[in-house]
Amino acid sequence: MAGIQLIRGFKDILPGETELWKYIEKIAVDVFESFGFKEIRLPVLEHSELFARSIGADTDIVEKEMYTFPDRKGDLITMRPEATASVVRAYIQHKLYAKDPVQKFYTIGPMFRRERPQKGRYRQFYQINAEVFGIASPLIDAQLIFMLTTIFSRLKVADIATHINSLGCPVCRPEFKKALSTLLSSVSGKLCSDCIRRHKKNPLRVLDCKVPACRDAMSDAPAILDFLCPECKEHFNTVKATLENLEIPYHVDKNLVRGLDYYTRTTFEIQTGSLGAQSAVAGGGRYDGLVKSLGGPDHPATGFAIGLDRLAEIISAKSDDLLQNPEIFIAAIGSQSRTAALEWACRLGIEGIKTEINLTDRSLKSQMKRADRLGAAHVIIVGENELKQGSVVMRNMLTKDQISIPVQGLVANIKQTLKGIIH
Ligand code: AMP
């Protein structure tokens, strides 16, 4: 019988990939911390109602994609499909606004959606999230976009475009929805079955349907930007002006609506040409009504999520540089040398010098081959003779130079020698 395989749509992130993931996370965390964001870690399981009430009961995510099941007591629980709802729940539950309504959080972790698996789309995927509470100003929307583009540029991801739109607010959006609905009724014969369903429940989503026939049918769709109330218009203008001031190129994309109900005003997406159909690597926007609608104070909020899997896919070609090869490989011949080698490896390890050793009885030749395979920078060669004479050989695998290092104070000697090589 074949071994047990992982579940369809799920994936393992293996050594060789994890280096890149950690590197991306580190760059993001550095940016977050220099912009005053604090880390928040939240559970994967939440009451299902949280997502129905925040993301919206009529969205694709809640209708079709959530991993929801009754626990042993019959309570309906859901594996979070996104992080914002949980961050809002925690903000309200712990009254995180009590000292200062302005709170800035980041969180990194897995999300779960039962979507049709394909390249760039998984059923467990990872997001890097940033959320800001208590700031209504459009300036913070632009700052979030600035942070996002900073993360991408530090990761040297060049092939990206920033798309922005405004979704208006409860004052002006209903007018737009009405106009959109009128158009949808007149073209309903041309729409895909999903869009026919969306027309009734969530008409905005028809705008970002990828089916060509729907795109054609919607080519004359009204633009929400033409329906914005003066406050929303002013908000959007300030976002655009601030982006220009910060020298961030952007495209206004009237069809950018995103799949969650809670967005208001500014929405944005970072898209890339390198991922085929799944072009969004990050997305976000403002969700001013959500804190109140989940039972909290009437505080505005805005944030974004980066798709870590997709980002890693874009830059994986460069990740070879990130593999941390051993600094030292100790090739030991004979059991006494192996005992000495293990002790040195432990001491080098706690000094932060990445060291590999050989623990089985193998020829020097095969150990040198292994050192080469591991990409070790230096090999220490030690046998009974070297131990007797009190010095070992250290070979630079790149230049092939060999030097002799005294066994007495070996760790300090190696440290000193490596310093000399690095600087
Ligand atoms: P959303 O929460 O839908 O706004 O998604 C934010 C980001 O998460 C997207 O831009 C994607 O990069 C990523 N993402 C969303 N769904 C998936 C998925 N099923 N698989 C991989 N990444 C995803």
Side-chain angles (χ1 to χ4, degrees), residues 152 157-163 269-282 307 310-315:
F152 283 90
V157 178
D159 179 22
I160 56 159
T162 305
H163 290 235
E269 221 166 66
I270 306 283
Q271 300 183 358
T272 171
S274 346
L275 276 175
Q278 304 309 317
S279 58
V281 255
R310 291 187 192 169
L311 184 50
E313 268 162 41
I314 302 176
I315 38 188

Side-chain angles (χ1 to χ4, degrees), residues 113 115 120-122 125 127 258 260 280-283 305 307 310:
R113 293 182 199 170
E115 294 185 269
R121 204 205 265 158
Y122 309 101
F125 59 97
Q127 284 187 345
R258 313 192 24 78
L260 303 88
V281 255
R310 291 187 192 169

Side-chain angles (χ1 to χ4, degrees), residues 61 65 81-84 111-116 118-129 258-260 262-263 268-270 275 278-284 304-311 313:
I61 295 180
E65 297 168 1
E82 56 106 45
T84 304
M111 309 297 154
F112 303 83
R113 293 182 199 170
R114 204 175 184 293
E115 294 185 269
R116 196 167 53 77
Q118 62 185 83
K119 187 174 157 50
R121 204 205 265 158
Y122 309 101
R123 290 178 169 180
Q124 174 174 339
F125 59 97
Y126 291 76
Q127 284 187 345
I128 301 176
N129 280 79
R258 313 192 24 78
L260 303 88
Y262 53 62
Y263 285 111
F268 50 89
E269 221 166 66
I270 306 283
L275 276 175
Q278 304 309 317
S279 58
V281 255
F304 65 72
I306 301 175
L308 186 45
D309 310 67
R310 291 187 192 169
L311 184 50
E313 268 162 41

Side-chain angles (χ1 to χ4, degrees), residues 254-367:
K254 72 183 175 78
N255 290 338
L256 180 69
V257 290
R258 313 192 24 78
L260 303 88
D261 268 4
Y262 53 62
Y263 285 111
T264 51
R265 294 192 167 164
T266 320
T267 51
F268 50 89
E269 221 166 66
I270 306 283
Q271 300 183 358
T272 171
S274 346
L275 276 175
Q278 304 309 317
S279 58
V281 255
R286 187 161 271 286
Y287 47 96
D288 285 342
L290 186 59
V291 179
K292 183 158 185 243
S293 81
L294 288 176
D298 191 5
H299 288 174
T302 180
F304 65 72
I306 301 175
L308 186 45
D309 310 67
R310 291 187 192 169
L311 184 50
E313 268 162 41
I314 302 176
I315 38 188
S316 64
K318 295 189 202 125
S319 64
D320 274 358
D321 309 348
L322 299 168
L323 289 178
Q324 287 191 357
N325 297 338
E327 193 74 51
I328 302 280
F329 182 94
I330 309 179
I333 325 283
S335 75
Q336 227 188 322
S337 307
R338 281 196 290 276
T339 305
L342 184 85
E343 189 198 325
W344 296 336
C346 291
R347 298 200 188 290
L348 287 164
I350 55 176
E351 293 292 336
I353 297 170
K354 204 170 166 220
T355 306
E356 275 294 334
I357 48 174
N358 178 71
L359 293 176
T360 50
D361 193 8
R362 290 165 74 184
S363 69
L364 179 60
K365 195 169 159 207
S366 89
Q367 294 192 46

